[in-house]
Amino acid sequence: MPSMEYDDSKPSWADQVEEEGDEGTLPAAKETIKGNIKTITDYKIDEDDGKKYKIVRTFKIETRKASKAVARRKNWKKFGNSEFDAPGPNVATTTVSDDVFMTFISSKEDLNAQDQDEDPMNKLKGQKIVSCRICKGDHWTTRCPYKDTLGPMQKELAEQLGLSTADKDKPAGSAEPEPAQPAQSKTGKYVPPSLRDGGTRRGESMQPNRRGESDDNATIRVTNLSEDTRETDLQELFRPFGSISRIYLAKDKNTGQSKGFAFISFHRREDAARAIAGVSGFGYDHLILNVEWAKPSNN
Amino acid sequence: MKPILLQGHERSITQIKYNREGDLLFSVAKDTVTNVWYSVNGERLGTYNGHTGAVWCVDCDWDTKNVLTGSADNSCRLWDCQTGKQLALFNTNSAVRTCGFDFSGNIIMFSTDKQMGYQCFLNFFDLRDPQQIEDNQPYQTIPCTDHKITSAVWGPLGEFVNAGHENGEINQFSAKSGEILNKAKEHTKHINDMQTSVDLTMFVTASKDNTAKLFDSTSLNHIKTFKTERPVNSAAISPIMDHVVMGGGQEAMEVTTTSTRIGKFEARFFHAAYEEEFGRVKGHFGPINCVAFHPDGKSYSSGGEDGYVRIHHFDPHYFDFELEA
């Protein structure tokens, strides 16, 4: 029957699909030698992603002349752990590494200079990392050679100093009830925040309207600006009235275009007043500007 | 150049050595196997299995028949190079640090460590006398009471052994009488490695005091000094050029605390006469523990603390390069 013959010569497509679907089977490794080039084609399934890989390795076969003894040794049978290795290098033990080059050194100074740059520790060499509290030397305080002699002396000195400054301050009766403690703050001892410089002063508020009252009072609000207005335009427009400390132009976050209003802070309130008088109702970019005092912001 | 990477060891390499023709490369490491490789393509010929401790040293005789290894398992073993079979076992009281065949291949020497209450000995066996091996009785034993031997090589004609000690001293011991023929003290610290030139007239020492020095084998005259800024673990003399290659790096215990960029794990090439460095080759991840030149001078190998042996075949550049004097 003709169909039987056909089956023999070519496997049916169904068989092929079956073979491909079966993950356990891989095409056999092939080895071809063409001239002095040997090509080995391997197939392997990666353990991690289960994909099939085809590995092609190309070798150049070299024939070298060698002495008889060396040639004889080249034909020795492998032994020990390599007993069952195939002829030729085994990939498990022998691999070709990446290209490396010998870097030639023409002048020694160059190389050393480069070396020093590369060494991050060298940068630290000039700096003092550790400073002794007793003698200001380059070592830990506990390792100070003058620990026993200088240490107690300094303590005494500090105590005396502390006493004398306190004595001076008290009779003076300064307006600020701030106990001065220069001796302590300089020796690097821990000082609780309540005793630190300015510890008794009232803390500063985060409220912006407390910060600079004069600033806020010299700020004007400009509205009805055109969308194309830039900060530089505003600077040009308001500079003639006096020195400007700050310009804030409200801009759209996304497009960066002006939202049509701005705040200008002058150093002096008079300048601001003149600016209001001068620019309010001024035609700018086909729009009539509206300028007025900025209201103090509520946070 | 594309180095051939040999991955036959699981721990740091302690010594590598070529045979006389250079077609075979032996490598030993702190694991227990001794590997032998074809140096031309990096193919592993085989392993010598039997040691049960770190192997410190390896040597091969002139006709590549026998291989000698010394190990921290308190033994020195003689192997048949071709088959990997053990021919003889010399038991010692402490670890074997260095070993070597003399040029005839008939007499072997090995030194033992000062440890576990035993002192350092330099032992000589004559392999032609089976009785010595059977009784484990060397024909010559030299005790070194003060400082142990850390490296040793045979001098020319098999008359004496030059031994480097842990205090930097070099002593020349006669193989016949056992007496000290010559002394030199040029190094200040541990001598890590000693390697001879091809004709055995000179040898180069590598020391922990950051230098390698060239000596005359017979007179122990100090000829040259090669200075670096890190401990030198190994140094070798090129057989065809006036070059010395050195491998080193900071100590293994300090490797993890410094970055590889400042680790300086390169092999460094010095001009033997001008004492000046002219080239470097990078590659190892850790300090280089041993370097060896192929006897034809066209390639060299290095073994590192990282457990790899790398065979480098020089680019033509190397042979053209001339140092500006």
Side-chain angles (χ1 to χ4, degrees), chain B residues 153-165:
Chain B
V153 284
W154 277 94
L157 306 172
E159 284 177 352
F160 51 82
V161 167
N162 290 317
H165 295 255

Side-chain angles (χ1 to χ4, degrees), chain B residues 260-291:
Chain B
T260 48
R261 258 158 45 103
I262 60 167
K264 298 180 178 149
F265 302 137
E266 305 109 322
R268 306 174 68 170
F269 287 79
F270 279 70
H271 194 279
Y274 301 134
E275 305 179 333
E276 237 172 80
E277 185 180 1
F278 67 88
R280 291 182 180 185
V281 176
K282 287 186 180 173
H284 281 283
F285 302 115
I288 293 175
N289 284 347
C290 48
V291 287

Side-chain angles (χ1 to χ4, degrees), chain B residues 185 193 210 290:
Chain B
K185 175 94 166 63
D193 186 36
N210 299 3
C290 48

Side-chain angles (χ1 to χ4, degrees), chain A residues 214-233:
Chain A
S214 60
D215 264 8
D216 265 301
N217 283 345
T219 301
I220 56 172
R221 189 178 70 172
V222 187
T223 52
N224 210 21
L225 285 163
S226 81
E227 287 191 338
D228 306 323
T229 314
R230 302 263 177 82
E231 265 135 351
T232 48
D233 299 333

